[in-house]
Amino acid sequence: MEPIFTPEQLAEIKAYYLPHYIRGAVNPFVTLALLALLLWGLNRPFYQGAQALASGLGRRWAFLRTAPVSRILIRAMDRLWGEPGWGTALLFALFIDLFSKVLYTPSDVYFDYILEHRHGMSAHTPLTYATDTLKSWSISAVAAVTMVLGLYGLARRLRNWWLVLGVPVALLMLVSSALDPYRSRVYFDQSPLEAGPLRIRISGLMARADIAFADVLVEKTSVSTKRVQAYFAGQGPTRTIVLNDTLLKEFTEDEILAAVAHEAGHVNEPQWAGRIAAACALIALLFAIDRLLRRAAARGWFGATQFADIRTLPLLSVLFFFIMLTAKPISGAFSREREWEADRYALRLTGDPATFRRMLVKAARVNKMDPEPPRWVILKGMSHPPVGERVAAISAP
């Protein structure tokens, strides 16, 4: 049986992943150091800077409080916050978000641009990389502002804010996957797969699997990455099969069908139990945040003078950090088991283990997958089983 990689290819893959493994080992300690710096070193100057800037902007743009449209928004914000201090809160959150982004920029540029280009995995130009980075930063800033208004704003107005916020968001989480087909369009153009043999064969495969879908789209990811990818997005009437343009270029029709069959296995997973558990976990998390904010206010942590003081925002990041540190190995283990089951489903659906093996081998080569990552990397939360194990399982008698 042909090995997945030649010795030369394997050596390059090890060289490519070594910096990633080093970063994975040290990143938790770097994150803790950053959080400590924000809490005990930069919290006060950032808050004071936000106060000064908010005051200056308030004086310069005082006319907005009487303008026809803006005055309605400003009054609504004052009512939500309970006082005019919401400008300071928003700026404080943006300061923290921007500081973190800038601090990680050298690392991000190295791993996402320099290292990717060095090993032939990126098609980004400096301009497209900068554009995607700005999109990501903008989305992050909007998320920070939304969290401040939704979480801290409601917490200051309602005693049981965590239920008022948690229940609607939890219900939204249950159906949010219906919006998945539209999210990736922020970064990549998509177009329907042209009529022809491949579309006909995919439709036939989905008919055998009894999976309804709205369309098959081609995602033009080759503008930024050389990797191949296929996935299902959405649910019910929005369910869409997405193939990236590199996959169509590099793989045969049989291999594309094998990849689609694997992704179809995820459609048949029992998903509602996980979604309900995630929704309940969100409500539990918001309750824990409520308890933490009340304790911070009672003890005056980090200068907090009242409940839901914005100066406790970095403290929530500490809470999220430890939750993710604990949850990621567990979710990774469940994810790997789902990937194994999707492989088994694809083999049953296609009845063609030879083609499925070729698909995995080609994907491993194009995407430069490490066939034998360190065990600690797997246990730390890898979402997929090592490709070497997957290929060996297919090849086993």
Side-chain angles (χ1 to χ4, degrees):
M1 190 72 68
E2 180 186 10
I4 301 177
F5 299 108
T6 66
E8 293 77 14
Q9 290 172 330
L10 188 58
E12 182 188 1
I13 286 174
K14 295 299 183 183
Y16 170 66
Y17 276 100
L18 180 60
H20 287 280
Y21 294 153
I22 293 174
R23 179 174 68 166
V26 304
N27 194 57
F29 303 101
V30 173
T31 302
L32 274 178
L34 171 61
L35 292 174
L37 177 63
L38 287 171
L39 280 170
W40 287 286
L42 298 176
N43 195 302
R44 178 177 295 180
F46 276 4
Y47 184 75
Q48 291 173 342
Q51 276 185 317
L53 181 57
S55 177
L57 292 176
R59 290 192 300 270
R60 176 167 295 187
W61 294 346
F63 67 92
L64 293 177
R65 287 192 168 272
T66 56
V69 177
S70 58
R71 68 181 181 183
I72 298 175
L73 176 61
I74 291 174
R75 287 174 182 174
M77 295 290 289
D78 288 344
R79 181 171 298 180
L80 172 67
W81 202 253
E83 60 184 11
W86 55 266
T88 297
L90 295 183
L91 289 171
F92 180 74
L94 291 175
F95 283 177
I96 291 176
D97 185 64
L98 181 60
F99 173 77
S100 302
K101 294 289 189 301
V102 171
L103 195 66
Y104 277 108
T105 291
S107 171
D108 291 340
V109 170
Y110 173 75
F111 283 99
D112 299 338
Y113 187 84
I114 296 175
L115 191 64
E116 293 290 295
H117 274 276
R118 182 179 297 167
H119 291 275
M121 297 303 295
S122 177
H124 264 309
T125 65
L127 179 60
T128 59
Y129 177 76
T131 301
D132 280 355
T133 299
L134 287 176
K135 287 180 183 178
S136 177
W137 284 24
S138 299
I139 292 171
S140 177
V142 170
V145 168
T146 302
M147 187 185 74
V148 168
L149 296 178
L151 194 155
Y152 278 85
L154 284 178
R156 296 164 68 90
R157 299 292 293 170
L158 303 171
R159 180 167 184 81
N160 292 324
W161 66 271
W162 54 277
L163 275 176
V164 175
L165 177 62
V167 172
V169 174
L171 293 174
L172 183 62
M173 286 174 60
L174 297 177
V175 297
S176 63
S177 60
L179 301 176
D180 286 347
Y182 311 103
R183 292 172 183 162
S184 59
R185 296 181 189 181
V186 174
Y187 294 96
F188 302 113
D189 292 332
Q190 294 179 346
S191 60
L193 177 67
E194 62 183 17
L198 179 58
R199 178 180 275 274
I200 294 172
R201 295 184 68 185
I202 290 175
S203 297
L205 185 71
M206 293 301 97
R208 294 204 306 273
D210 194 24
I211 295 176
F213 65 98
D215 203 354
V216 184
L217 299 179
V218 179
E219 191 169 75
K220 299 174 177 62
T221 64
S222 59
V223 296
S224 64
T225 179
K226 303 294 182 66
R227 289 176 171 81
V228 296
Q229 186 180 32
Y231 62 94
F232 279 64
Q235 62 183 23
T238 68
R239 181 178 293 130
T240 305
I241 302 171
V242 183
L243 314 173
N244 77 344
D245 52 351
T246 308
L247 182 78
L248 297 178
K249 178 182 177 182
E250 297 289 342
F251 283 40
T252 66
E253 284 191 6
D254 287 342
E255 291 163 352
I256 293 171
L257 288 175
V260 172
H262 169 86
E263 297 304 322
H266 293 303
V267 175
N268 288 310
E269 293 170 354
Q271 298 174 351
W272 281 106
R275 291 175 185 173
I276 292 172
C280 293
L282 170 67
I283 296 176
L285 172 62
L286 292 177
F287 178 75
I289 291 173
D290 179 78
R291 299 296 97 183
L292 186 63
L293 292 179
R294 294 190 185 281
R295 176 163 294 190
R299 300 191 177 185
W301 290 349
F302 313 110
T305 58
Q306 59 183 313
F307 175 65
D309 193 302
I310 194 61
R311 282 169 285 191
T312 60
L313 181 59
L315 190 61
L316 302 191
S317 297
V318 175
L319 176 62
F320 295 153
F321 169 78
F322 282 107
I323 289 175
M324 293 304 299
L325 194 67
T326 304
K328 194 172 181 181
I330 299 172
S331 64
F334 281 108
S335 177
R336 291 192 298 275
E337 183 53 42
R338 289 194 297 269
E339 294 299 330
W340 281 120
E341 183 53 41
D343 280 355
R344 292 188 285 266
Y345 176 89
L347 291 172
R348 292 193 300 268
L349 182 62
T350 63
D352 189 356
T355 298
F356 194 81
R357 184 187 188 279
R358 286 200 309 273
M359 181 274 294
L360 281 181
V361 169
K362 187 174 288 188
R365 290 173 179 173
V366 175
N367 290 357
K368 286 185 167 58
M369 302 177 186
D370 189 347
E372 296 180 347
R375 192 63 186 169
W376 68 267
V377 172
I378 299 172
L379 297 177
K380 188 171 179 282
M382 272 185 61
S383 61
H384 287 61
V387 69
E389 295 181 11
R390 295 173 69 186
V391 171
I394 297 169
S395 305

